Amino acid sequence: MKAVVSINSGSSSIKFSLFAIGDHGDHGDFQLAAGGKIEKIGIAPALKASSVDGEILLERDWPDGTSLSHADLLENLFAWAADHPLAGREIIAIGHRVVHGGTEFAAPVLVDAALTDKLEALCPLAPLHQPHNLAAIRAIAQLQPNLPQVACFDTAFHHDKPALASRFALPRALHDQGIRRYGFHGLSYEYIARRLAEIDPVLASGRVIAAHLGNGASLCAMEAGHSIDTTMGFTALDGLMMGTRCGSLDPGVVLHLETQMGMSPAEVEELLYKKSGLLGVSGVSSDMRTLAASGVPAAEEAVALFAWRVGREAGALASSLGGLDGIVFTAGIGENDADMRSRICRRLAWLGLDLDELANAGDGPLISMPDSRVKAYVIPTDEERMIAMHTYKVVQGKSA
Ligand code: ADP
């Protein structure tokens, strides 16, 4: 049986999932067979893979201070895979989440040396993510030169949004040099658009806000399943408040931090990406569950601010859409945190959203009252599956 692997390679971790391709692979017939994670890269690496039934397939860790690179660790994983039959599955391609496709890439593409160079040139636009995405692509190209790899972009879903939604109010020359609003979490939104079309095709053909609320968080305004606006912009810092990222911020604050408070660009980057958001406001944690259980007033304020910011940005996207027919919650907080969903929906009552609190506390997917003018759903996202589906399609196209 054939299989594809999805890889999400970040700064300190590499997540991987193996999908077996069923008889109707062209129509999304994929079964998750195994998955795992290499984590704490650069600190004390640990590698774990398990089957979908929970059977541990591989578990290795290295002592504190072990400086194995992404490439070294992937080599370990591939060496193990070479000695294991993977239940007779033949890996035909590897798909990667690549954060930035720039202005050029509106769809997944097969990786070759020329593409890798183009993606490398985009690293300054996503310095915390893109280099690590590319590290995995390069390492696998070395280890398995004949195994096709496909790059799937987080920006691609937003590529064709209206021109106004892509433009900052900056001089035109900067826009032409790529300083634009790109948008991210596109693989998640694409999956949500597909699932919503299966669950509620009428709503999917209307005006919907998808709310990807995890450690990273953003909203996407979708019209008939296409992105027309989103809260993230040039980088994944923009828009909503996140676990450790500040979201939208008066750019004057950045100038002040550097010119008046003497912070270096590197210190400001660290502050905005790693020390702000829920963590910065609460002073307790970046994790929503920890904050909910904390009882400290600053933790409650961070939770309240998160909901307030989602409500505020959702109002802006409802304007971009010219009204609202539905909202879909997804990712760690969106899928699991009924209290946060309730806080957000109460803020959107003025748009005609009437939350069914009982359904919200249950299993969903529909959590709005039957006569609510704006519908609300909870739909678990699956970016890995989306990557696998794209990868299979691109590889099929190549061999067709
Ligand atoms: P990432 O962006 O890293 O993929 P996730 O989508 O896993 O993040 O979301 C992580 C967030 O989801 C954390 O803030 C975590 O506290 C929150 N979360 C996960 N499960 C729950 C839960 N049952 N209740 C509330 N929050 C949850």
Coordinates of all heavy atoms in Angstrom, one line a residue, residues 15 212-216 286-289 331-333 336-337, ligand 1:
K15 N 7.2 17.8 13.4 CA 6.1 16.8 13.5 C 6.0 16.1 12.2 O 6.1 16.7 11.1 CB 4.8 17.6 13.8 CG 4.8 18.3 15.2 CD 3.5 19.0 15.4 CE 3.7 20.1 16.4 NZ 2.7 21.2 16.3
H212 N -9.0 30.3 13.7 CA -8.0 29.3 14.1 C -7.3 29.8 15.3 O -6.5 30.7 15.3 CB -6.9 29.2 12.9 CG -5.8 28.2 13.2 ND1 -5.7 27.0 12.6 CD2 -4.8 28.3 14.1 CE1 -4.7 26.3 13.1 NE2 -4.1 27.1 14.0
L213 N -7.7 29.2 16.5 CA -7.3 29.8 17.8 C -6.4 28.7 18.5 O -7.0 27.8 19.1 CB -8.5 30.1 18.6 CG -9.5 31.1 18.0 CD1 -10.7 31.3 19.0 CD2 -8.9 32.4 17.6
G214 N -5.1 28.8 18.3 CA -4.2 27.9 18.9 C -3.1 28.7 19.6 O -3.4 29.9 20.0
N215 N -1.9 28.2 19.7 CA -0.8 29.0 20.2 C -0.6 30.2 19.2 O -0.4 31.3 19.6 CB 0.5 28.2 20.3 CG 0.6 27.5 21.6 OD1 0.2 28.1 22.6 ND2 1.0 26.3 21.6
G216 N -0.6 29.9 18.0 CA -0.7 30.9 16.9 C -2.2 31.1 16.7 O -3.0 30.1 16.7
S286 N 1.6 31.0 28.7 CA 1.1 31.2 27.4 C -0.1 30.2 27.1 O -0.7 30.3 26.0 CB 2.2 31.0 26.3 OG 2.6 29.7 26.4
D287 N -0.3 29.3 28.0 CA -1.3 28.2 27.8 C -2.6 28.6 28.3 O -2.8 28.9 29.5 CB -0.7 27.0 28.5 CG -1.5 25.7 28.1 OD1 -2.6 25.6 28.6 OD2 -1.0 25.0 27.2
M288 N -3.7 28.5 27.5 CA -5.0 28.9 27.9 C -5.5 28.1 29.0 O -6.2 28.6 29.9 CB -5.9 28.8 26.7 CG -7.2 29.5 26.8 SD -7.1 31.3 27.2 CE -7.2 31.9 25.5
R289 N -5.2 26.8 29.0 CA -5.7 25.9 30.1 C -5.1 26.4 31.5 O -5.9 26.4 32.5 CB -5.3 24.5 29.9 CG -6.4 23.7 29.1 CD -5.8 22.4 28.7 NE -4.6 22.5 27.9 CZ -4.1 21.5 27.2 NH1 -4.6 20.3 27.2 NH2 -3.0 21.8 26.5
A331 N -8.7 24.6 16.0 CA -7.4 24.6 16.7 C -7.6 24.4 18.2 O -8.7 24.4 18.7 CB -6.5 25.8 16.3
G332 N -6.4 24.3 18.9 CA -6.5 23.9 20.3 C -7.5 24.7 21.2 O -8.3 24.0 21.9
I333 N -7.5 26.0 21.1 CA -8.5 26.7 21.9 C -9.9 26.7 21.3 O -10.9 26.4 22.0 CB -8.0 28.2 22.1 CG1 -6.7 28.3 22.8 CG2 -9.1 29.1 22.8 CD1 -5.9 29.6 22.8
N336 N -11.5 23.2 21.8 CA -11.6 22.6 23.2 C -12.1 23.6 24.3 O -12.6 23.1 25.3 CB -10.2 22.1 23.6 CG -9.7 21.0 22.8 OD1 -10.4 20.0 22.6 ND2 -8.6 21.3 22.1
D337 N -12.1 24.9 24.0 CA -12.3 25.8 25.1 C -13.7 26.4 25.0 O -13.9 27.5 24.4 CB -11.2 26.9 25.1 CG -11.3 27.7 26.4 OD1 -12.3 27.8 27.1 OD2 -10.3 28.4 26.7
Ligands
ADP1 P1 -0.3 25.2 18.1 O1 -0.5 26.5 17.5 O2 1.0 25.0 18.8 O3 -0.6 24.0 17.1 P2 -2.7 24.3 19.5 O4 -3.6 24.4 18.3 O5 -2.3 22.9 20.0 O6 -1.4 25.2 19.2 O7 -3.4 25.1 20.7 C1 -2.7 25.2 21.9 C2 -3.7 26.0 22.8 O8 -4.9 25.3 23.0 C3 -3.1 26.2 24.2 O9 -3.3 27.5 24.7 C4 -3.9 25.2 25.1 O10 -4.1 25.6 26.4 C5 -5.2 25.3 24.3 N1 -6.1 24.1 24.7 C6 -5.9 22.8 24.3 N2 -6.8 22.0 24.9 C7 -7.6 22.8 25.6 C8 -8.7 22.6 26.5 N3 -9.2 21.4 26.6 N4 -9.3 23.7 27.0 C9 -8.8 24.9 26.9 N5 -7.7 25.2 26.1 C10 -7.1 24.2 25.5

